[in-house]
Amino acid sequence: MFKFLHAADVHLDSPLKGLERYLGAPADEIRGATRRALDNLVDLAIQEEAAFLLLAGDLYDGDWKDYNTGLFFVSRMRRLEEAGIPVFLISGNHDAASQITKVLRPPGNVRVLATKKPETVRLDGLEVAIHGQGFALQSVSEDLAAGYPDAVPQLFNIGLLHTSLDGRPGHASYAPCTLPGLRSKGYQYWALGHVHEREVVCQDPWVVFPGILQGRHVRETGPKGATLVTVEDREVVSVEARDLDVFRWTVCRVDAAGAATAGEALDRVGKALERELARADGRPLAARLVLTGSCPAHEELLGGSERWIQECRAVAAGFGEGALWIEKVRFETRRPEDLRDPFDGDDALGGLLRSLRDLREGRGSLEPLPPELSDLKRKLPAELSADGDAPDVTDPEQLRSLLPEVEDLLLARLLATPEGSEP
């Protein structure tokens, strides 16, 4: 019996996005998260006395100029070398863009598999054959797995592959392949990389994405880590997900339905954050807050959105220094149906809202707007689109999708009661 570790998408020294611009954000923890996650992976390999470690691509994060990134990896692999643990890795699309991987010599225990054609490495003492091929170029559109050799008889066969498989949302279609194609090779385990969500695609044979080692932004939520595999008599007997991340991300949806005031909604924010923090297993947590539901507090929340965003950050700070940060706050609440419909009014507000509704429902054209907004887009601060979450205001369809939010914001601002006046 032996164990091996399967990890992928380390993205060493990749920046964590979405917190750096906020006062009091955990800058040091953000910068060092991927390194500490790699340390956890190395520690786990030594503790479990793993026979070997597999890295299924994207060790680095593009064309890094700082050799300290590569030197850090080399130093950690030397720890595994001292423990007698070999490492087998393939390059992924990000590694193919990295100058570091092309010139930095790895330690003797690290074997980088070929990129020109599939390569097979035999571990005779374990009766194991590892088959793999890395990316020679940043974009690989052909099915690399189709060229992998058939299983070596009487050995435990592993396929090491960086791939989008038959497609996964949010991931580019690199080295696409099919489950029947993987099965046809006769391997007992396929160690995949590229997809950042954990996924056991199949158990006969085992086809596994371990997911990214450390989440880097709010689209990579929940536990992250590697997969520990136990093999006996050339058969997989257990596959365990091990959490190795040091900093966690979450989208915290807060049901504000029926909240009479913004203060009442804020109380619900506190309770929701407390639940999310309990699920983080003691790790620092970055949360995106999304307030939803039909409530009388809707106009108050949107009309004073900046104030309530800061109030939410204050609630998060109350959980203790270093525990919880707010990445972003979104107000997706709506007016209760029983309130007067401002669309019916004969005033200027009613006319404006009806015009917006006509645009939203396709009875008007947004085509003239993108050229007018393109100049504005060029002048916006870079950080507004740094996390990839900002809409493209030069795209008419994206503009149309924003119209309900525009309506809500107009209502909130124009119907809000000035502070200190009678309603």
Side-chain angles (χ1 to χ4, degrees):
M1 185 178 75
F2 65 90
K3 298 178 181 179
F4 69 88
L5 267 173
H6 167 205
D9 301 283
V10 176
H11 291 278
L12 191 59
D13 282 351
S14 175
L16 274 65
K17 300 176 182 178
L19 289 173
E20 300 93 329
R21 60 183 179 270
Y22 297 125
L23 181 64
D28 291 337
E29 295 190 45
I30 290 170
R31 281 191 292 266
T34 56
R35 290 193 178 201
R36 287 184 289 131
L38 181 62
D39 276 334
N40 288 345
L41 178 66
V42 169
D43 289 342
L44 180 62
I46 295 171
Q47 291 163 9
E48 293 288 345
E49 299 180 346
F52 52 88
L53 167 64
L54 301 176
L55 294 174
D58 284 357
L59 169 62
Y60 297 111
D61 195 55
D63 191 10
W64 286 93
K65 301 295 192 295
D66 186 353
Y67 279 82
N68 286 323
T69 301
L71 292 173
F72 179 84
F73 174 72
V74 167
S75 70
R76 271 39 185 183
M77 294 305 99
R78 286 202 175 114
R79 285 191 59 208
L80 292 180
E81 186 176 34
E82 292 170 359
I85 300 174
V87 180
F88 303 94
L89 67 87
I90 54 173
S91 58
N93 53 292
H94 284 273
D95 299 314
S98 172
Q99 294 300 316
I100 292 175
T101 57
K102 295 173 184 175
V103 298
L104 193 64
R105 181 175 298 177
N109 65 320
V110 177
R111 177 77 172 267
V112 182
L113 274 62
T115 58
K116 292 184 178 179
K117 63 179 182 179
E119 181 179 1
T120 298
V121 179
R122 285 187 166 203
L123 306 178
D124 293 329
L126 295 173
E127 298 183 327
V128 168
I130 301 170
H131 314 274
Q133 179 180 355
F135 281 31
L137 302 172
Q138 187 174 0
S139 179
V140 174
S141 58
E142 66 267 25
D143 180 357
L144 295 181
Y148 280 38
D150 291 338
V152 179
Q154 307 304 312
L155 295 183
F156 182 83
N157 288 262
I158 299 172
L160 190 55
L161 180 66
H162 197 78
T163 178
S164 57
L165 198 57
D166 50 7
R168 292 296 184 276
H171 293 83
S173 181
Y174 291 139
C177 58
T178 65
L179 186 55
L182 298 184
R183 279 180 167 149
S184 71
K185 299 300 177 181
Y187 301 172
Q188 287 86 355
Y189 188 92
W190 279 94
L192 306 184
H194 180 55
V195 174
H196 289 186
E197 289 294 319
R198 285 175 172 167
E199 182 181 355
V200 176
V201 179
C202 181
Q203 296 186 18
D204 185 23
W206 286 88
V207 180
V208 177
F209 286 107
I212 194 169
L213 194 65
Q214 166 63 56
R216 301 167 301 157
H217 46 69
V218 78
R219 294 187 301 281
E220 295 174 346
T221 59
K224 304 297 179 186
T227 299
L228 180 66
V229 183
T230 304
V231 178
E232 188 171 5
D233 296 329
R234 297 196 297 275
E235 296 290 336
V236 174
V237 296
S238 74
V239 173
E240 306 171 51
R242 294 296 185 91
D243 298 343
L244 301 174
D245 52 345
V246 298
F247 189 92
R248 198 160 287 177
W249 301 82
T250 187
V251 175
C252 180
R253 303 190 74 84
V254 181
D255 184 5
T261 65
E264 183 180 339
L266 198 65
D267 290 339
R268 299 187 191 186
V269 165
K271 293 175 182 176
L273 288 175
E274 186 175 14
R275 289 191 295 270
E276 291 292 338
L277 197 56
R279 286 194 283 261
D281 300 321
R283 292 166 174 80
L285 182 68
R288 173 172 292 186
L289 281 171
V290 183
L291 280 71
T292 64
S294 171
C295 61
H298 171 71
E299 265 101 19
E300 185 183 0
L301 287 168
L302 266 69
S305 59
E306 184 57 35
R307 172 194 170 183
W308 297 111
I309 288 171
Q310 299 309 321
E311 292 278 8
C312 288
R313 295 193 190 284
V315 170
F319 287 99
E321 186 176 357
L324 176 64
W325 290 268
I326 301 300
E327 179 262 356
K328 186 176 289 186
V329 181
R330 288 181 176 269
F331 298 106
E332 296 182 2
T333 54
R334 61 186 187 277
R335 291 183 308 110
E337 296 296 333
D338 59 352
L339 293 183
R340 179 182 68 85
D341 191 349
F343 285 88
D344 295 335
D346 293 328
D347 54 7
L349 176 59
L352 175 60
L353 292 174
R354 285 192 293 275
S355 297
L356 287 171
R357 181 175 57 189
D358 288 343
L359 286 171
R360 176 160 48 89
E361 295 177 357
R363 293 191 293 272
S365 175
L366 289 169
E367 296 298 333
L369 280 178
E372 300 291 333
L373 294 173
S374 60
D375 187 54
L376 173 63
K377 181 181 178 181
R378 286 193 294 270
K379 296 176 181 177
L380 289 174
E383 60 266 20
L384 288 182
S385 57
D387 62 359
D389 199 43
D392 182 0
V393 295
T394 63
D395 181 344
E397 287 308 308
Q398 290 198 42
L399 281 176
R400 196 177 303 278
S401 72
L402 292 173
L403 288 173
E405 190 173 339
V406 172
E407 290 176 7
D408 274 349
L409 187 57
L410 280 171
L411 282 168
R413 294 293 173 89
L414 296 175
L415 297 181
T417 302
E419 191 170 337
S421 66
E422 292 295 327

